[in-house]
């Protein structure tokens, strides 16, 4: 089988040698910068308390009492709410505001006055971001399988830089939303493509380590952003400081090769051999086979289109696809529902963000050290634990005093810890459930469920604005908790993929739980095999 033979090649060249470790560090950089640009929305769209600006007077300080009396103008003005101004007993909506600068000097909220009747514009900007990730999940995964992994990663890096650099000079909110759409597309590419490339570059025993490195790079990026955001309170300066250093990734791409597994599937054997030789040189091993020794059985190698036809005709594979898609939806709904609305939990937004990121980091560490346990059971437990914590906030929000808002924050962070554990595992499980010919595409389609979930989270997270009660405060977490519980139960129907080889054929994918290194190869299911007749004869002669 391709997987066994491919892994045999890399085992001989070094399944996780110096070359793989070097690539691991290089591919972690785009993911680190992905975190800084994605989570920057927490601070760019930070909620600034505001009140109406009093007319005809100098009124620029939020802390000043919103009361004004002028004998000369015979006006007594009183700000009755954040959105209405009372002048001599007459209420009227205002169109100019004074913003609190305790946490932020300026945000997109204050620049475009996304308050009062325009308060849901914040959700629309978030929607444009998540729609960008949805677009990426549908189309860019397909392009990764057709055009290759590396070209799409370079595109993703460009999209992390250009839209962010020009955004502070854009005067229209609609164009800001387009920039956010493009940035989100690049953000998703900068995480998913490195993950896919590393999964295909290391041996099965180190696949979790590769995933762990990518996710830890994301967590480190979140901490880096926290430091930037704490000391840079102006969103326009912050976005420049975060975006410009990403250009280093373009230089890094000079040392990152295309996935050799993808090259072999496309019949580009000579290019794959170049990578094998480079790997051998780094790992201090030898390449003892020739390009002509790697052949493709034309009758068995599936085209991209044929692979999709087989996929959609297989009921078990389609059932697996829908279960994974539902779980991606639930995970993203919970993850972004908490992450993008940490400022709505009460208290200091920077402290909340730090606690949220720490919960995420702890979850990733637990996943790495718990890899000896069955993935499916850990995944289901994490989903139900996180969902139950979110559901429990109904009691603290409705029946506890305001002084105990930290309990609600604590429960939300337990939910974040659980869903982060699930997020870590769902990447591995999804990549291991489908054959190579459509792996990136199915990964993208499954994760499109996550994009729908994240788009929903931008509005579900603001239900408390519409329902201004204690129950309204808890309602978003109640919804995400219920959905997460259902998804966790459905995940028990997925196969256990721990310590299995990446499937190359549909037959291997259907029987993934028995697809281990001990399985004897079946030539009828092989896509690519090694032919080393000359080397075998040489060995026999030496033995004789």
């Amino acid at each position: 089988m391709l997987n066994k033979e491919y892994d045999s090649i890399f085992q001989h060249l070094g399944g996780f040698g110096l070359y793989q470790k070097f690539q691991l560090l290089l591919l972690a950089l785009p993911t680190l910068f992905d975190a800084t640009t994605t989570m920057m929305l927490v601070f760019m769209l930070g909620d600034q308390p505001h009140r109406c600006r009093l007319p005809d007077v100098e009124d620029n300080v939020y802390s000043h009492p919103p009361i004004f009396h002028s004998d000369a103008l015979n006006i007594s003005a009183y700000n009755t709410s954040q959105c209405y101004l009372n002048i001599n007993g007459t209420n009227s909506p205002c169109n100019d505001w004074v913003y609190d600068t305790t946490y932020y000097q300026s945000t997109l909220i204050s620049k475009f006055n996304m308050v009062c009747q325009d308060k849901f514009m914040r959700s629309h900007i978030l929607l444009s971001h998540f729609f960008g990730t949805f677009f990426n999940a549908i189309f860019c995964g397909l392009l990764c399988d057709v055009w290759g992994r590396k070209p799409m990663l370079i595109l993703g890096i460009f999209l992390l830089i250009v839209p962010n650099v020009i955004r502070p000079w854009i005067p229209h909110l609609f164009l800001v939303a387009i920039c956010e759409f493009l940035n989100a597309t690049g953000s998703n590419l900068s995480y998913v493509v490195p993950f896919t490339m590393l999964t295909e570059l290391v041996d099965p025993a180190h696949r979790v380590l590769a995933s762990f490195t990518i996710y830890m790079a994301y967590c480190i990026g979140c901490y880096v952003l926290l430091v930037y955001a704490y000391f840079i309170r102006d969103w326009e300066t912050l976005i420049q400081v975060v975006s410009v250093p990403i250009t280093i990734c373009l230089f890094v791409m000079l040392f990152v090769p295309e996935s050799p597994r993808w090259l072999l599937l496309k019949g580009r054997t000579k290019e794959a051999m170049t990578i094998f030789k480079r790997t051998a040189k780094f790992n201090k091993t030898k390449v003892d086979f020739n390009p002509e020794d790697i052949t493709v059985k034309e009758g068995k190698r599936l085209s991209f289109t044929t692979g999709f036809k087989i996929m959609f005709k297989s009921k078990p594979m389609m059932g697996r696809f829908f279960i994974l898609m539902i779980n991606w939806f639930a995970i993203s709904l919970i993850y972004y529902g908490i992450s993008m609305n940490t400022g709505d939990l009460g208290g200091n937004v920077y402290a909340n963000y730090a606690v949220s990121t720490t919960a995420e980091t702890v979850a990733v560490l637990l996943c790495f050290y718990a890899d000896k346990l069955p993935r499916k059971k850990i995944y289901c437990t994490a989903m139900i634990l996180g969902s139950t914590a979110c559901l429990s906030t109904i009691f603290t929000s409705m029946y506890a005093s305001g002084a105990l808002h930290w309990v609600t924050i604590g429960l939300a962070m337990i939910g974040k810890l659980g869903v982060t554990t699930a997020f870590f595992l769902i990447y591995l499980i999804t990549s291991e459930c489908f054959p190579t010919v459509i792996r990136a595409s199915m990964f993208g389609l499954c994760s499109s469920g996550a994009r729908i979930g994240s788009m929903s989270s931008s509005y579900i997270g603001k239900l408390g604005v519409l329902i201004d009660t204690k129950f309204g405060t808890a309602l978003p977490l109640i919804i995400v908790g219920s959905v997460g519980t259902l998804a966790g139960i459905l995940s028990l129907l997925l196969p256990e993929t721990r310590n299995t080889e990446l499937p190359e054929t549909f037959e291997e994918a259907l029987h993934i739980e028995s697809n281990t290194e001990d399985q004897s190869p079946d030539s009828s299911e092989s896509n690519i095999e090694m032919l080393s007749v000359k080397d075998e004869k040489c060995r026999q002669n030496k033995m004789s």
Side-chain angles (χ1 to χ4, degrees):
M1 294 179 293
L2 180 150
N3 190 40
K4 186 177 180 67
E5 298 300 341
Y6 178 87
D7 288 336
S8 296
I9 294 173
F10 263 101
Q11 287 288 1
H12 175 70
L13 299 178
F16 193 69
L18 181 62
Y19 182 77
Q20 283 88 344
K21 293 173 183 176
F22 179 61
Q23 293 299 319
L24 201 66
L25 293 176
L26 294 183
L27 289 169
L29 276 178
T31 304
L32 186 150
F33 288 116
D34 162 38
T36 60
T37 57
T38 298
M39 300 311 297
M40 188 165 48
L41 286 173
V42 173
F43 305 102
M44 286 173 55
L45 295 173
D47 185 26
Q48 286 184 272
H50 57 278
R51 63 172 176 81
C52 291
R53 187 187 301 274
L54 300 178
D56 302 320
V57 295
E58 185 177 350
D59 182 26
N60 298 313
V61 182
Y62 175 81
S63 59
H64 283 181
I67 300 174
F68 174 75
H69 176 76
S70 172
D71 294 328
L73 297 175
N74 194 26
I75 292 177
S76 178
Y78 175 70
N79 183 44
T80 57
S81 70
Q82 294 177 333
C83 303
Y84 289 91
L85 189 66
N86 183 289
I87 301 178
N88 292 336
T90 303
N91 275 328
S92 60
C94 57
N95 55 15
D96 195 12
W97 291 265
V98 179
Y99 292 91
D100 184 6
T101 56
T102 301
Y103 293 125
Y104 313 105
Q105 288 297 320
S106 68
T107 63
L108 278 173
I109 302 294
S110 60
K111 178 176 180 177
F112 293 99
N113 288 324
M114 291 187 277
V115 295
C116 298
Q117 67 270 19
D118 293 325
K119 59 187 174 185
F120 274 99
M121 293 305 296
R122 179 185 188 274
S123 296
H124 298 340
I125 296 295
L126 284 175
L127 178 65
S128 67
H129 175 89
F130 294 129
F131 188 72
T133 60
F134 178 77
F135 174 84
N136 176 81
I138 295 295
F139 296 104
C140 294
L142 303 177
L143 296 177
C144 280
D145 282 333
V146 175
W147 290 349
R149 284 47 164 149
K150 184 176 178 179
M152 298 307 295
L153 178 55
I154 294 174
L155 174 63
I157 294 170
F158 269 108
L159 292 178
L160 285 184
I161 301 171
V162 178
N164 283 331
V165 170
I166 66 174
R167 200 180 319 190
W169 289 277
I170 294 178
H172 302 292
L173 193 58
F174 176 74
L175 296 178
V176 170
I178 292 178
C179 284
E180 190 55 48
F181 170 85
L182 295 173
N183 176 72
T185 303
S187 172
N188 207 41
L189 283 171
S190 300
Y191 187 97
V192 173
V193 177
F195 173 83
T196 303
M197 293 177 73
L198 286 173
T199 301
E200 297 179 338
L201 191 63
V202 302
D203 59 3
H206 294 90
R207 206 178 295 150
V208 171
L209 178 59
S211 178
F212 169 79
T213 304
I214 292 296
Y215 214 141
M216 280 304 296
Y218 189 90
C219 293
I220 292 171
C222 289
Y223 281 116
V224 170
L225 174 65
L226 176 61
V227 175
Y228 282 152
Y230 185 81
F231 290 102
I232 304 173
R233 303 296 179 96
D234 174 69
W235 78 272
E236 294 181 345
T237 306
L238 176 64
I239 199 172
Q240 296 291 322
V241 170
V242 167
S243 303
V244 173
I246 303 176
T247 53
I248 193 175
C249 291
L250 297 176
F251 174 74
V252 166
M253 286 299 101
L254 296 174
F255 305 97
V256 175
E258 181 58 85
S259 166
R261 187 187 293 265
W262 180 84
L263 290 172
L264 287 176
L265 279 175
K266 294 299 179 180
R268 295 161 60 175
T269 308
K270 291 185 178 180
E271 295 176 60
M273 280 297 299
T274 300
I275 299 173
F276 291 148
K277 291 178 181 178
R278 191 181 305 154
T279 304
K281 182 178 180 180
F282 266 77
N283 295 346
K284 297 181 180 181
T285 56
K286 294 183 179 180
V287 177
D288 56 0
F289 51 88
N290 299 315
E292 57 269 17
D293 295 330
I294 304 176
T295 61
V296 179
K297 289 189 174 182
E298 297 296 339
K300 297 299 180 183
R301 186 175 66 189
L302 296 176
S303 68
F304 175 78
T305 305
T306 304
F308 255 93
K309 289 181 180 179
I310 295 175
M311 171 69 201
F312 289 109
K313 287 181 180 179
S314 172
K315 291 183 179 179
M317 294 297 289
M318 287 302 296
R320 186 181 299 178
F321 163 67
F322 283 118
I323 291 174
L324 284 169
M325 193 172 184
I326 291 171
N327 275 269
W328 275 95
F329 171 84
I331 290 173
S332 194
L333 181 67
I334 301 173
Y335 180 86
Y336 288 106
I338 296 174
S339 298
M340 292 298 183
N341 295 285
T342 52
D344 296 338
L345 295 175
N348 187 301
V349 62
Y350 298 99
N352 290 350
Y353 180 84
V355 172
S356 176
T357 301
T358 302
E360 187 167 359
T361 306
V362 170
V364 176
L365 291 170
L366 289 176
C367 286
F368 180 68
Y369 288 106
D371 184 54
K372 294 182 179 180
L373 301 174
R375 285 179 190 164
K376 184 168 65 173
K377 292 182 179 179
I378 297 178
Y379 176 85
C380 179
T381 302
M383 282 295 288
I384 293 178
L385 172 66
S387 301
T388 302
C390 291
L391 287 170
S392 299
T393 59
I394 188 173
F395 301 106
T396 58
S397 297
M398 294 186 66
Y399 304 113
S401 63
L404 295 178
H405 74 274
W406 61 269
V407 179
T408 302
I409 296 175
L411 289 171
M413 293 308 107
I414 293 175
K416 179 73 177 291
L417 187 147
V419 76
T420 300
T421 303
F423 229 144
F424 180 92
L425 294 173
I426 197 70
Y427 273 90
L428 285 170
I429 294 171
T430 304
S431 66
E432 294 167 337
C433 278
F434 300 104
T436 298
V437 68
I438 60 168
R439 180 173 296 120
S441 303
M442 295 311 299
F443 196 103
L445 289 175
C446 288
S447 64
S448 67
R451 311 317 158 197
I452 298 172
S454 57
M455 285 189 284
S456 303
S457 71
S458 61
Y459 293 93
I460 291 176
K462 289 298 179 183
L463 286 177
V465 176
L466 293 177
I467 307 173
D468 192 15
T469 62
K470 290 184 176 181
F471 177 76
T473 303
L475 184 58
L477 291 172
I478 295 171
I479 293 175
V480 300
S482 301
V483 174
T485 302
L486 174 62
I489 294 173
L490 285 176
S491 68
L492 293 173
L493 300 176
L494 294 172
E496 175 57 57
T497 61
R498 179 179 172 268
N499 284 341
T500 60
E501 297 179 347
L502 287 177
E504 300 300 338
T505 67
F506 281 94
E507 185 68 22
E508 292 173 10
L510 285 170
H511 302 93
I512 182 66
E513 292 178 288
S514 60
N515 184 27
T516 62
E517 292 184 358
D518 295 330
Q519 185 181 1
S520 60
D522 182 358
S523 59
S524 64
E525 298 299 332
S526 298
N527 287 346
I528 295 177
E529 63 179 10
M530 290 289 298
L531 300 178
S532 304
V533 178
K534 293 180 180 179
D535 291 344
E536 183 63 27
K537 287 182 178 180
C538 290
R539 285 193 293 269
Q540 290 177 358
N541 290 334
K542 289 180 180 180
M543 291 177 63
S544 63

